[in-house]
Amino acid sequence: MAKHDIDPNYLDPNYEPVVNHSENLPFHQVLSARMQRRAVMKGTVGAALASVMGLGLVACGSDSDSDDETASGNTQTPGTTERALGFQAVPVSMDNQVVVPEGYSSKTFLPWGTPITGSYPDYRADGTNSGADQEEQVGMHHDGMHFFPIDQKSGGNSSTEGLLVMNHEYINQEAIHAEGATYNADGSRPADEVRKEIAAHGVSVVHIKQDANGEWDVVFGSPLNRRVTGGTEMEIRGPVRGYDKLFTKFSPNGTRTRGTLNNCSMGPTPWGTYLTAEENWHGYFANSDATQPREQTRHGVGSESRYDWELADNKADQYVRFNVSALGGSASEDYRNEANTFGFMVEIDPFNPESMPQKRTALGRFGHEGVIFAPAKEGEPVVCYSGDDSRFEYIYKFVSSKPYYAATAGGYLLDEGTLYVARFNEDGSGEWLALDLDNPAFASKVNAAKGTTVGDVAFDGFENQADVLLNTRLAADIAGATPMDRPEWGAVDPNTGEVYFTLTNNTKRTEDQVNAANPVAQNKNGHIIRWQEAGNDYTADSFEWDIFVFAGEQGTETVVDGDAVVTLNDDNIFNSPDGLWFDYNGRLWIQTDGYSDETFGNQMMLAANPETREIKRFFVGPQGCEVTGVVTTPDSKTMFVNIQHPRGNWPNAAEDRPRDACVIVTRNDGGVIGA
């Protein structure tokens, strides 16, 4: 077993260190005696679990005067037919298999190791594929994904052929090699093992097509099939491009880097490209210097890396770069700044396999879970949201400087604009705080913070706006943003325009750290928050918010002003909401990544009617997995769901190793999924 080998569930909420010590908005500043509207989350086991603030939105479909039947999710209201959940909820399951509702079928597709490009090397079940093989095969630990119709560029919406683009977040070292990760006598690692692990990260672009019998398969030989890995050359774009804190031996002018890592969620752009998120990238680097720059400490870069790639026995720069210690005379002679080229959203054009991926620095540098775009409107700015998936981190919004025009839109729209961070007030209002040195309010806070310690960082100011974006977390600390319970995926309701975000969990939040938007101490089950921008204008600097649902066991109630708007039962108990997606008919799909036991069973996916708050369990994954990534074809008749880090030998009982895979779900009658 490798020195730093980790369980496939390393993303457990207790694994990652807390690196935000800014203590923004402590309890006494959030809950004031002025508040008169109260709500509770409570369960049938024992007394009330927590006392929370819950403020209903006028724009929300759910009414605070809901009767008991609606509150328990058993009735529909007029006008919600298209969002109705027309399937029988599946029970919790602890079996090592996928469970879908009666009348539906599931089939695994594109498991890790599937050959998609180059020489199409076959997957070897004994773990002996080489690093070169893995560079031409589907990566490991599938995560966020999107289906692009093959005729999308010409305005079509094919549901029988397209590009399925998916992220590969991290790896299971025990499964990827014949006998797990190994070390040489001198403590170094075999270079080809490292090459293989780097190649298993990143993104797969797979051209797929449905045959006459409705079966999906890879279009072998398609020039559109592509692997983007942890070693693929990438361009730095936006305000941080060329900043001296990005200078490396590979790119002395700070304009390029290699690879994208820990790719979690994603976001399709309004102009038909794919943005992949770099989430827990900090663990891939090692710094043995006595002191570390704030660009590393605020993210948790340590003296040892997760996989020891910097210890490869081939001393080529492609491996040495993961040692971010100051080893040379200047930044252009070593890789002290390599980690500064990670933590961004990366744009990939799936229809142009020769294009170089672009790291969009204007969207900020942090632990991006993904990105979600507001509906683009002609002549108006592009707006998108992103969560920073760590305990006590923040939710961000980007507003482009240039307007969107469909005929000419492209990634350049993400290179100039304003990045904001959210503050959720106790009265149900919220503010977007600009992280811009040209903004007087932010500049004043920066000046006031100089010479002080912000969290664990001795703050001496920002050199320029590039420095602000490189240190986005620190800037958000100074701005006074609200620390959240691991903000992960977001989704925009296509009918109401409300923005939803999952807050997965936070068992480290103490009683004196709760705030209105994160009101549960030792929050092991999580919740989902939503907001409406002021005047339904996504560029607005204020919003109104409420809590859509608290996760938990049977009997957990989300109560607003004395009325239970959701009561969880056997059909919908869940914990740790993570993935989130609105389908083309307005149903909200909720995926989980938390703890599994006899109460909750394996991780799952549920569907919700956002207007009535009816929630039903639709899908249960195999043992040990995270259910993550979901999309349908435009006709909503084929659903793709990703399974990450399964245990045992799923999905093939004849093989010894688990393989991450996509699951295709269809209705037996050929109808719309979920209807």
Side-chain angles (χ1 to χ4, degrees), residues 31-40 51-58 62-65 426-429 516 544-546 559-563:
L31 298 180
S32 71
R34 298 191 305 272
M35 295 307 302
Q36 297 179 359
R37 302 183 68 195
R38 302 287 300 176
V40 295
S51 183
V52 304
M53 306 306 301
L55 299 112
L57 301 180
V58 173
S62 192
D63 190 331
S64 62
D65 295 324
E426 72 269 24
D427 61 357
S429 67
E544 291 187 342
W545 64 270
D546 77 345
V559 182
V560 176
D561 293 338
D563 293 315

Side-chain angles (χ1 to χ4, degrees), residues 24 98 136 202 271 333 441 490 527 624 637:
N24 280 350
V98 167
E136 298 177 346
W271 47 91
E333 299 174 59
H527 54 291
K637 294 182 179 180

Side-chain angles (χ1 to χ4, degrees), residues 146-149 152-153 163 165 267-275 347-352 373 404 406 409-411:
H146 188 70
F147 178 86
F148 293 87
Q152 177 174 295
K153 291 292 185 180
L163 303 181
V165 186
T269 69
W271 47 91
T273 60
Y274 183 87
L275 281 174
E347 185 173 13
I348 298 169
D349 185 347
F351 291 96
N352 185 0
F373 283 82
Y404 168 86

Side-chain angles (χ1 to χ4, degrees), residues 117-191:
T117 189
S119 61
Y120 291 88
D122 290 333
Y123 168 78
R124 298 177 184 173
D126 61 0
T128 59
N129 280 110
S130 68
D133 290 344
Q134 181 63 78
E135 289 168 351
E136 298 177 346
Q137 298 170 327
V138 169
M140 197 177 229
H141 284 12
H142 301 20
D143 209 292
M145 65 178 163
H146 188 70
F147 178 86
F148 293 87
I150 197 65
D151 54 359
Q152 177 174 295
K153 291 292 185 180
S154 59
N157 59 351
S158 173
S159 291
T160 60
E161 184 178 2
L163 303 181
L164 190 62
V165 186
M166 69 174 71
N167 291 347
H168 304 291
E169 186 175 3
Y170 66 112
I171 58 171
N172 177 350
Q173 287 182 304
E174 288 299 295
I176 199 171
H177 304 300
E179 299 187 15
T182 62
Y183 288 78
N184 301 316
D186 63 357
S188 63
R189 290 203 55 207

